[in-house]
């Protein structure tokens, strides 16, 4: 999305906003494939919009004198699906699928690993679960698998 002198010291940002969860309440997966007990979790409308606003702020307003913005990755599930980069170029936003998230995080990590002075920013807006010290961020749950818990390996 934004890639400016990525090998130089700077700020590398990944922004993920997930609002569409096919297997949760009101999802678009067939009803028989949705989670039977989703814990009250359903579709989110603010997550993609919040992610877009954060990405816009980094693209237009981030002003760290020693660590300018070098890379920005934006992934969204739900609307909106376009992003306007400075100086006004409209680009398509990558879908926040599990594979796309993995690929983007690997790139983000590699870019950040070039210099120990780099600043890495990870922003996620969507559902998450926690069981004590264990915490997970939820992408599109169980992509390409049945959503029924008894059918997962």
């Amino acid at each position: 999305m934004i890639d400016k002198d990525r090998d130089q010291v700077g700020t590398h940002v990944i922004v993920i906003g997930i609002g569409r969860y096919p297997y949760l309440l009101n999802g678009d997966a067939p009803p028989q494939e949705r989670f039977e007990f989703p814990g009250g979790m359903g579709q989110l409308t603010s997550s993609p919009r919040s992610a877009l606003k954060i990405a816009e702020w980094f693209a237009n307003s981030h002003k760290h004198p020693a660590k300018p913005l070098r890379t920005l990755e934006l992934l969204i599930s739900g609307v909106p699906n376009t992003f306007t980069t400075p100086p006004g170029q409209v680009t398509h936003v990558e879908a926040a699928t599990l594979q796309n998230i993995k690929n983007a995080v690997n790139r983000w990590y590699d870019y950040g690993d070039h210099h120990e002075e780099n600043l890495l920013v990870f922003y996620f807006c969507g559902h998450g679960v926690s069981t004590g010290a264990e915490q997970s961020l939820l992408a599109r749950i169980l992509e390409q698998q049945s959503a029924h818990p008894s059918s997962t390996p």
Side-chain angles (χ1 to χ4, degrees):
M1 171 142 315
I2 292 178
D3 188 346
K4 297 187 275 189
D5 300 321
R6 74 174 95 144
D7 293 330
Q8 301 297 314
V9 172
T11 302
H12 301 273
V13 180
I14 185 167
V15 177
I16 303 167
I18 302 182
R20 183 173 166 265
Y21 290 91
Y23 300 104
L24 297 181
L25 292 174
N26 301 315
D28 56 8
Q32 68 274 14
E33 292 183 13
R34 292 186 207 146
F35 281 119
E36 187 175 352
F37 303 106
M41 292 187 291
Q43 309 312 300
L44 301 172
T45 57
S46 62
S47 297
R49 286 175 172 71
S50 295
L52 181 65
K53 291 297 183 186
I54 291 290
E56 287 173 350
W57 184 87
F58 273 102
N60 297 307
S61 302
H62 173 73
K63 304 284 188 248
H64 192 296
K67 299 175 184 179
L69 182 65
R70 298 294 183 196
T71 62
L72 171 66
E73 300 252 8
L74 173 62
L75 299 100
I76 291 178
S77 96
V79 292
N81 62 1
T82 60
F83 178 75
T84 305
T85 62
Q89 179 183 5
V90 176
T91 61
H92 179 74
V93 175
E94 194 170 9
T97 64
L98 187 56
Q99 189 59 53
N100 288 348
I101 291 170
K102 286 179 182 180
N103 293 341
V105 167
N106 286 336
R107 285 189 301 269
W108 171 75
Y109 179 85
D110 289 343
Y111 298 156
D113 202 33
H114 279 106
H115 298 282
E116 81 176 30
E117 298 89 15
N118 279 339
L119 173 64
L120 280 82
V121 178
F122 179 91
Y123 177 88
F124 176 88
C125 193
H127 284 303
V129 293
S130 174
T131 56
E134 299 293 320
Q135 299 176 10
S136 297
L137 306 176
L138 300 183
R140 289 186 57 201
I141 300 172
L142 301 173
E143 288 179 359
Q144 299 173 341
Q145 296 179 23
S146 171
H148 194 279
S150 65
S151 67
T152 57

